[in-house]
Amino acid sequence: MPLSSNESDKSDLEERLRQATERQTVRSVHAAPAQGDSSVGIAARSGIEFVAAIVVSVGIGFAADHWLHTSPIGVLVMLVLGFGAGLLNLYRTLNGIPVSVTSRSPGANSPVADDDEING
Amino acid sequence: MESPLAQFAIHPLFHLPMAGYDLAFTNSSLAMLLAFLATVVVFMVGTRKAAVVPGTLQSVAESIYQFVETMVEDNIGHGGRHFFPLIFAIFTMVLFGNIFGLIPTNFTFTSHIVVTGAIALFVFCLVIVAGVARNGLHWFSIFMPSGVPAYIIPLMIPIEIISFLSRPLSLSVRLFANMLAGHVILHVFAGFCVLLAGLLGGFGIILSLLPLSVNVAFMGLELLVACLQAYIFAIMSCIYLRDAVDVHH
Amino acid sequence: MDHDSAKLIAVAIAVLPLLGVGIGLGHLFAAWIGAVGRNPEAAPTLRSLGFLFFALTEAIGLFALVIAFMILFVF
């Protein structure tokens, strides 16, 4: 008699385990798009990061030229440096968003959301 | 049709001459005051009767608080507890400003680069001041890139400095451009409705349901953008403030 | 031609690069969808790469916008 009770407990446990796993999977599937959404939101205007660096550096170059009377040199040098800084900004924006917060964005409270995806 | 940019015009509600300047109370100031009062009301009423099982307003207040706390904890680290009130203020101000701006005829103060630029410049200056105050001159080593060959360092230092200087610009322009573009689109589609009804009469009114439905859909999108941009503004401020706290990263 | 109309025409010409940006984004996303369709496992890598090049292409459009605003408000 105890054996059969044990057996039924075990199958009950297995059933509940299966259900829980299913629930988790469903939740993580639901959570994944939310995570994607917020990374889309961060990426949506990341072109600005690139443009801002070039605008700032060309502005500095223009001012330096105006001040030192070295007309095209400052703008040209700063344009190249600004391009590099813009690429650096872009790289940091797209890779530097900490994963832990992105997966804890509103609507995605599930701890099972696979975190590796964004780091990629 | 009125210009779609006319909604961003600032006009004084009453004048306040002070020391030769006119510190007028404008519609922008009114919108800011409204956002501030709404924040205060939500958090005062929400936390007045703190129950174990939170009511509606209490759970709103608690979830905003927890959200910002997690954000600060994860992005600035444990040394960034001092910056929590600032980040919280920035987040709620921008969030309530964005959301209140979506109410028709209401003014959106975050659609002015002067407002977003002021907040971004404040964060930018705070990074420098707090960084130097905490770490001394050692703070300037954040411009020293780690893990690159020695011959490339003279090139990387100016690039890092430009990248650092471009932060307030990208931070402010992102929020300002998103809010401006969203409100211009809403205005243009609302203008289509008026235009169709005015040109074609009764048939035009039926036809104007089309741009109206587009506008309703855009309203939902703008609500998402309003929350998302407030989140991004706050999280970017956190990421920038991390430079003031830990120099080695 | 008076100053204002010349300015407006110049602004209209300055935003013409958006044509190229549109074509570029179309190519980019077509290639991205094609690549993900062929190899779904590579999607995470392809996504961040796609965002990077999307941002670079978008930047061209923003430069056009900056130039247009400069013509409008500076001159």
Side-chain angles (χ1 to χ4, degrees), chain B residues 109-139:
Chain B
F109 64 83
T110 43
S111 67
H112 278 259
I113 196 160
V114 106
V115 176
T116 59
I119 305 176
L121 271 180
F122 179 77
V123 172
F124 176 75
C125 295
L126 185 71
V127 170
I128 299 175
V129 171
V132 172
R134 274 170 177 248
N135 305 298
L137 292 180
H138 181 238
W139 175 75

Short mmCIF file of all heavy atoms in Angstrom, two decimals, chain B residues 109-139:
data_model
loop_
_atom_site.label_atom_id
_atom_site.label_comp_id
_atom_site.label_asym_id
_atom_site.label_seq_id
_atom_site.Cartn_x
_atom_site.Cartn_y
_atom_site.Cartn_z
N PHE B 109 6.91 69.50 -22.36
CA PHE B 109 8.15 70.27 -22.14
C PHE B 109 9.38 69.49 -22.55
O PHE B 109 10.42 70.08 -22.83
CB PHE B 109 8.24 70.79 -20.71
CG PHE B 109 8.33 69.74 -19.64
CD1 PHE B 109 9.53 69.16 -19.34
CD2 PHE B 109 7.19 69.36 -18.95
CE1 PHE B 109 9.61 68.20 -18.36
CE2 PHE B 109 7.28 68.40 -17.96
CZ PHE B 109 8.48 67.81 -17.67
N THR B 110 9.28 68.15 -22.65
CA THR B 110 10.46 67.39 -23.06
C THR B 110 10.70 67.49 -24.56
O THR B 110 11.68 66.96 -25.06
CB THR B 110 10.32 65.91 -22.69
OG1 THR B 110 9.01 65.49 -22.99
CG2 THR B 110 10.62 65.69 -21.24
N SER B 111 9.80 68.16 -25.31
CA SER B 111 10.04 68.32 -26.74
C SER B 111 10.86 69.58 -27.00
O SER B 111 10.97 70.01 -28.15
CB SER B 111 8.72 68.39 -27.49
OG SER B 111 8.04 69.57 -27.15
N HIS B 112 11.43 70.16 -25.96
CA HIS B 112 12.31 71.32 -26.13
C HIS B 112 13.72 70.92 -25.76
O HIS B 112 13.95 70.41 -24.66
CB HIS B 112 11.83 72.48 -25.27
CG HIS B 112 10.73 73.24 -25.91
ND1 HIS B 112 10.92 74.44 -26.54
CD2 HIS B 112 9.42 72.95 -26.06
CE1 HIS B 112 9.78 74.86 -27.04
NE2 HIS B 112 8.85 73.97 -26.77
N ILE B 113 14.64 71.18 -26.69
CA ILE B 113 16.01 70.72 -26.42
C ILE B 113 16.63 71.50 -25.28
O ILE B 113 17.57 71.03 -24.64
CB ILE B 113 16.86 70.83 -27.71
CG1 ILE B 113 18.12 70.00 -27.55
CG2 ILE B 113 17.21 72.25 -28.04
CD1 ILE B 113 18.79 69.64 -28.81
N VAL B 114 16.05 72.66 -24.98
CA VAL B 114 16.61 73.45 -23.88
C VAL B 114 16.37 72.72 -22.54
O VAL B 114 17.24 72.73 -21.65
CB VAL B 114 15.98 74.86 -23.94
CG1 VAL B 114 14.98 75.09 -22.90
CG2 VAL B 114 17.04 75.91 -23.88
N VAL B 115 15.23 72.02 -22.44
CA VAL B 115 14.93 71.29 -21.20
C VAL B 115 15.78 70.03 -21.11
O VAL B 115 16.48 69.79 -20.11
CB VAL B 115 13.42 70.94 -21.15
CG1 VAL B 115 13.12 70.10 -19.94
CG2 VAL B 115 12.59 72.19 -21.17
N THR B 116 15.75 69.21 -22.19
CA THR B 116 16.51 67.97 -22.15
C THR B 116 18.00 68.26 -22.08
O THR B 116 18.75 67.57 -21.39
CB THR B 116 16.21 67.12 -23.39
OG1 THR B 116 16.55 67.87 -24.55
CG2 THR B 116 14.75 66.76 -23.47
N GLY B 117 18.43 69.34 -22.78
CA GLY B 117 19.84 69.70 -22.76
C GLY B 117 20.28 70.12 -21.37
O GLY B 117 21.40 69.82 -20.95
N ALA B 118 19.40 70.83 -20.66
CA ALA B 118 19.77 71.26 -19.30
C ALA B 118 19.95 70.06 -18.39
O ALA B 118 20.92 70.00 -17.63
CB ALA B 118 18.70 72.20 -18.74
N ILE B 119 19.03 69.09 -18.49
CA ILE B 119 19.17 67.90 -17.64
C ILE B 119 20.44 67.14 -18.00
O ILE B 119 21.22 66.71 -17.14
CB ILE B 119 17.94 66.98 -17.77
CG1 ILE B 119 16.66 67.76 -17.47
CG2 ILE B 119 18.03 65.81 -16.82
CD1 ILE B 119 15.41 66.95 -17.68
N ALA B 120 20.67 66.99 -19.33
CA ALA B 120 21.84 66.22 -19.78
C ALA B 120 23.13 66.91 -19.37
O ALA B 120 24.08 66.26 -18.94
CB ALA B 120 21.79 66.03 -21.29
N LEU B 121 23.17 68.25 -19.49
CA LEU B 121 24.38 68.98 -19.11
C LEU B 121 24.61 68.88 -17.60
O LEU B 121 25.76 68.80 -17.15
CB LEU B 121 24.27 70.45 -19.51
CG LEU B 121 24.76 70.78 -20.90
CD1 LEU B 121 24.61 72.25 -21.16
CD2 LEU B 121 26.22 70.39 -21.06
N PHE B 122 23.52 68.86 -16.83
CA PHE B 122 23.67 68.71 -15.39
C PHE B 122 24.31 67.37 -15.06
O PHE B 122 25.24 67.30 -14.26
CB PHE B 122 22.31 68.84 -14.71
CG PHE B 122 22.39 68.67 -13.23
CD1 PHE B 122 22.86 69.70 -12.44
CD2 PHE B 122 22.04 67.48 -12.62
CE1 PHE B 122 22.96 69.55 -11.08
CE2 PHE B 122 22.13 67.32 -11.26
CZ PHE B 122 22.60 68.36 -10.48
N VAL B 123 23.80 66.30 -15.71
CA VAL B 123 24.38 64.97 -15.48
C VAL B 123 25.84 64.96 -15.89
O VAL B 123 26.71 64.44 -15.17
CB VAL B 123 23.57 63.90 -16.23
CG1 VAL B 123 24.27 62.55 -16.15
CG2 VAL B 123 22.18 63.79 -15.66
N PHE B 124 26.13 65.58 -17.04
CA PHE B 124 27.50 65.62 -17.56
C PHE B 124 28.44 66.31 -16.58
O PHE B 124 29.52 65.80 -16.26
CB PHE B 124 27.46 66.36 -18.91
CG PHE B 124 28.79 66.57 -19.55
CD1 PHE B 124 29.44 65.52 -20.16
CD2 PHE B 124 29.38 67.81 -19.56
CE1 PHE B 124 30.65 65.70 -20.78
CE2 PHE B 124 30.59 68.00 -20.17
CZ PHE B 124 31.23 66.96 -20.78
N CYS B 125 28.01 67.50 -16.08
CA CYS B 125 28.86 68.22 -15.13
C CYS B 125 29.00 67.45 -13.83
O CYS B 125 30.07 67.43 -13.22
CB CYS B 125 28.28 69.60 -14.85
SG CYS B 125 28.28 70.66 -16.30
N LEU B 126 27.91 66.78 -13.42
CA LEU B 126 27.96 66.02 -12.18
C LEU B 126 28.96 64.88 -12.28
O LEU B 126 29.67 64.58 -11.30
CB LEU B 126 26.57 65.47 -11.86
CG LEU B 126 26.48 64.76 -10.53
CD1 LEU B 126 26.58 65.76 -9.40
CD2 LEU B 126 25.20 63.98 -10.42
N VAL B 127 29.05 64.25 -13.47
CA VAL B 127 30.01 63.17 -13.65
C VAL B 127 31.42 63.69 -13.40
O VAL B 127 32.21 63.07 -12.67
CB VAL B 127 29.89 62.55 -15.06
CG1 VAL B 127 31.04 61.60 -15.33
CG2 VAL B 127 28.59 61.83 -15.22
N ILE B 128 31.73 64.86 -13.95
CA ILE B 128 33.08 65.42 -13.79
C ILE B 128 33.32 65.80 -12.33
O ILE B 128 34.33 65.42 -11.72
CB ILE B 128 33.27 66.64 -14.70
CG1 ILE B 128 33.11 66.23 -16.16
CG2 ILE B 128 34.62 67.27 -14.48
CD1 ILE B 128 33.15 67.38 -17.11
N VAL B 129 32.36 66.54 -11.74
CA VAL B 129 32.56 67.04 -10.38
C VAL B 129 32.65 65.89 -9.38
O VAL B 129 33.58 65.81 -8.58
CB VAL B 129 31.42 68.02 -10.01
CG1 VAL B 129 31.50 68.37 -8.54
CG2 VAL B 129 31.51 69.26 -10.85
N ALA B 130 31.68 64.96 -9.48
CA ALA B 130 31.67 63.85 -8.54
C ALA B 130 32.87 62.94 -8.77
O ALA B 130 33.45 62.41 -7.81
CB ALA B 130 30.38 63.05 -8.67
N GLY B 131 33.26 62.78 -10.03
CA GLY B 131 34.42 61.94 -10.33
C GLY B 131 35.69 62.49 -9.73
O GLY B 131 36.46 61.77 -9.10
N VAL B 132 35.90 63.81 -9.89
CA VAL B 132 37.11 64.43 -9.33
C VAL B 132 37.03 64.46 -7.82
O VAL B 132 38.02 64.22 -7.13
CB VAL B 132 37.30 65.84 -9.93
CG1 VAL B 132 38.43 66.56 -9.22
CG2 VAL B 132 37.59 65.75 -11.40
N ALA B 133 35.84 64.70 -7.27
CA ALA B 133 35.71 64.76 -5.81
C ALA B 133 35.97 63.40 -5.18
O ALA B 133 36.54 63.31 -4.10
CB ALA B 133 34.32 65.26 -5.44
N ARG B 134 35.56 62.33 -5.87
CA ARG B 134 35.72 61.00 -5.27
C ARG B 134 37.11 60.43 -5.49
O ARG B 134 37.67 59.78 -4.60
CB ARG B 134 34.71 60.03 -5.88
CG ARG B 134 33.38 60.05 -5.20
CD ARG B 134 32.39 59.27 -6.00
NE ARG B 134 31.11 59.22 -5.29
CZ ARG B 134 30.61 58.11 -4.77
NH1 ARG B 134 31.26 56.98 -4.87
NH2 ARG B 134 29.47 58.14 -4.16
N ASN B 135 37.64 60.64 -6.71
CA ASN B 135 38.87 59.95 -7.06
C ASN B 135 40.07 60.87 -7.19
O ASN B 135 41.17 60.41 -7.45
CB ASN B 135 38.70 59.20 -8.38
CG ASN B 135 37.51 58.27 -8.34
OD1 ASN B 135 37.48 57.35 -7.55
ND2 ASN B 135 36.53 58.53 -9.18
N GLY B 136 39.84 62.20 -7.06
CA GLY B 136 40.95 63.11 -7.28
C GLY B 136 41.34 63.13 -8.75
O GLY B 136 40.53 62.81 -9.63
N LEU B 137 42.59 63.48 -9.01
CA LEU B 137 43.03 63.58 -10.41
C LEU B 137 43.14 62.20 -11.07
O LEU B 137 43.25 62.11 -12.28
CB LEU B 137 44.37 64.32 -10.47
CG LEU B 137 44.27 65.80 -10.10
CD1 LEU B 137 45.63 66.46 -10.19
CD2 LEU B 137 43.28 66.53 -11.02
N HIS B 138 43.12 61.17 -10.23
CA HIS B 138 43.17 59.82 -10.77
C HIS B 138 41.96 59.53 -11.66
O HIS B 138 41.98 58.65 -12.52
CB HIS B 138 43.20 58.82 -9.60
CG HIS B 138 43.26 57.40 -10.02
ND1 HIS B 138 42.33 56.47 -9.65
CD2 HIS B 138 44.15 56.76 -10.82
CE1 HIS B 138 42.63 55.31 -10.19
NE2 HIS B 138 43.74 55.47 -10.91
N TRP B 139 40.88 60.36 -11.47
CA TRP B 139 39.66 60.14 -12.24
C TRP B 139 39.93 60.27 -13.74
O TRP B 139 39.29 59.59 -14.54
CB TRP B 139 38.60 61.15 -11.81
CG TRP B 139 37.36 61.06 -12.64
CD1 TRP B 139 36.41 60.10 -12.57
CD2 TRP B 139 36.97 61.94 -13.69
NE1 TRP B 139 35.43 60.34 -13.51
CE2 TRP B 139 35.75 61.45 -14.21
CE3 TRP B 139 37.52 63.10 -14.24
CZ2 TRP B 139 35.08 62.09 -15.24
CZ3 TRP B 139 36.84 63.73 -15.27
CH2 TRP B 139 35.63 63.22 -15.76
#
